[in-house]
Amino acid sequence: MQDFAYHAPPTVAEAIALFAADPEGSRYLAGGTDLFLALEHGSSAVRSVIDLKAIPGLDGIAVQPDGGHRLGALLPMDDLMRDRAIRTNYRALAESAEVVGGPPIRNRATLGGNLCNASPAADTAVPLVAFMAMAVLSSASGGRAIPVVRLWEAPGRTVLRPGELMTAIELPPPLPASASTFERLTRSAMDIALLSASAVISLNDDGTCRLVTLALGAVAPTVISIPEAGEVLRDTNCDDAALARVVKAVIETVRPIDDIRASAEYRREMAGVLAKRALARAYAIAIEPAGITR
Ligand SMILES: Cc1cc2nc3c(=O)[nH]c(=O)nc-3n(C[C@H](O)[C@H](O)[C@H](O)COP(=O)(O)OP(=O)(O)OC[C@H]3O[C@@H](n4cnc5c(N)ncnc54)[C@H](O)[C@@H]3O)c2cc1C
């Protein structure tokens, strides 16, 4: 590993100032589960590592006045998957955090790091896109919030400006009569996702779908959403004919790669299977407590 200076600033402003002193040679450090691998194998010269963990207040979960939830970017996966409010209101997100690596990884790996690493297979990124979450960013010139789905340009590349720091992820208030699911396909439990899908469904009083979102991971250079799912399933009972139309849209949209873990063709077919599974399960969970018979 290369030699570098290590800093642990106590505030966001100081972290940003340290980064600005050497934008080319600086990296933010959260849990380090991706960064240290990159430093071991990377070719770019890193001279300064800025540890964000000493900054207070970046690792909590806060309920917002509108009922939404604000998650600190430094929130470890283990805390996220155990939080009762998240498990109840944003179940797919808890399910995704639960499968990130093994227990030692989940103790260190953070939500912000999972997003900023910009892998199209990042597990928590998929439900965050389905929930239409916002990423809160801070820089010397101020702050901004952007939809999580617009965070990435390519594998390993975000839209963050040099030195911009992610401080939080904001989830909108939970929808009424709703449910969410996360589905993942892997070769082994400890492997990253071959494919993943997340669905959020909110129902009308008569049991038809009011709002549906669907996001897919590892099927394109970035995590993507499938807007056709909402258009096709609105006011339906999520029946087989409607789901078949969504599957067709998924298969036509995805752009998976061939690699040693699976062929593009297999991934394309399975994207449809996983999307259908995520949607059907979300619908089944949403309709059950409502006591609506079809
Ligand atoms: C054995 C193993 C198994 C794994 N399994 C999975 C898995 O199943 N699913 C999965 O999704 N991932 C997996 N990962 C990848 C990794 O654990 C996650 O991506 C993790 O969430 C990264 O978070 P971190 O806090 O460790 O990030 P770090 O490694 O600290 O940072 C990652 C990148 O994001 C940047 N960064 C971090 N935080 C911020 C911030 N707040 N603002 C701006 N930039 C920031 C860093 O500069 C760096 O470029 C695995 C990794 C290992 C080593």
Side-chain angles (χ1 to χ4, degrees):
M1 196 180 296
Q2 314 152 40
D3 287 338
F4 53 79
Y6 171 83
H7 307 276
T11 65
V12 167
E14 284 169 82
I16 291 170
L18 278 165
F19 199 106
D22 182 6
E24 292 287 311
S26 295
R27 296 289 181 278
Y28 289 131
L29 168 68
T33 61
D34 282 320
L35 184 69
F36 283 120
L37 285 179
L39 292 185
E40 261 181 49
H41 303 296
S43 53
S44 63
V46 174
R47 293 175 288 272
S48 170
V49 167
I50 302 160
D51 192 344
L52 306 175
K53 286 195 299 299
I55 304 173
L58 290 188
D59 61 354
I61 299 176
V63 184
Q64 304 289 77
D66 66 355
H69 286 63
R70 185 180 169 99
L71 314 177
L74 273 283
L75 184 69
M77 297 298 169
D78 198 63
D79 291 5
L80 178 60
M81 69 184 231
R82 288 177 199 283
D83 187 85
R84 189 183 293 241
I86 299 300
R87 296 195 74 82
T88 306
N89 299 310
Y90 307 97
R91 176 174 168 153
L93 185 57
E95 287 178 358
S96 70
E98 238 167 47
V99 297
V100 172
I105 293 289
R106 290 196 290 273
N107 275 317
R108 289 207 63 80
T110 65
L111 187 61
N114 202 219
L115 298 180
C116 292
N117 194 52
S119 163
D123 284 316
T124 61
V126 185
L128 287 174
V129 168
F131 282 119
M132 296 189 280
M134 301 290 288
V136 182
L137 308 174
S138 197
S139 68
S141 56
R144 61 176 177 143
I146 60 171
V148 167
V149 70
R150 297 223 320 267
L151 261 181
W152 313 284
E153 288 177 340
R157 205 164 73 231
T158 67
V159 299
L160 270 63
R161 298 165 189 148
E164 206 165 26
L165 198 158
M166 185 181 293
T167 53
I169 294 93
E170 289 182 344
L171 287 158
L175 296 164
S178 69
S180 64
T181 52
F182 174 72
E183 300 283 343
R184 178 172 105 139
L185 196 66
T186 52
R187 293 185 307 173
S188 70
M190 282 291 288
D191 206 357
I192 57 160
L194 268 183
L195 285 175
S196 55
S198 181
V200 178
I201 296 186
S202 164
L203 300 181
N204 293 310
D205 290 345
D206 65 357
T208 57
C209 295
R210 185 170 73 87
L211 195 143
V212 178
T213 57
L214 174 68
L216 299 175
V219 294
T222 66
V223 173
I224 57 169
S225 72
I226 307 285
E228 289 87 346
E231 292 153 21
V232 169
L233 294 177
R234 188 181 308 127
D235 297 331
T236 74
N237 288 313
C238 207
D239 52 89
D240 284 348
L243 284 173
R245 288 175 59 204
V246 177
V247 168
K248 185 168 178 290
V250 164
I251 288 173
E252 285 169 2
T253 306
V254 299
R255 287 183 290 138
I257 55 163
D258 266 315
D259 68 8
I260 50 160
R261 295 183 304 129
S263 69
E265 208 36 55
Y266 175 75
R267 284 188 161 105
R268 188 183 306 279
E269 283 301 310
M270 289 310 292
V273 172
L274 235 58
K276 183 175 174 183
R277 202 178 286 167
L279 289 163
R281 187 161 72 90
Y283 184 78
I285 299 169
I287 201 153
E288 199 178 322
I292 301 163
T293 47
R294 289 213 270 161

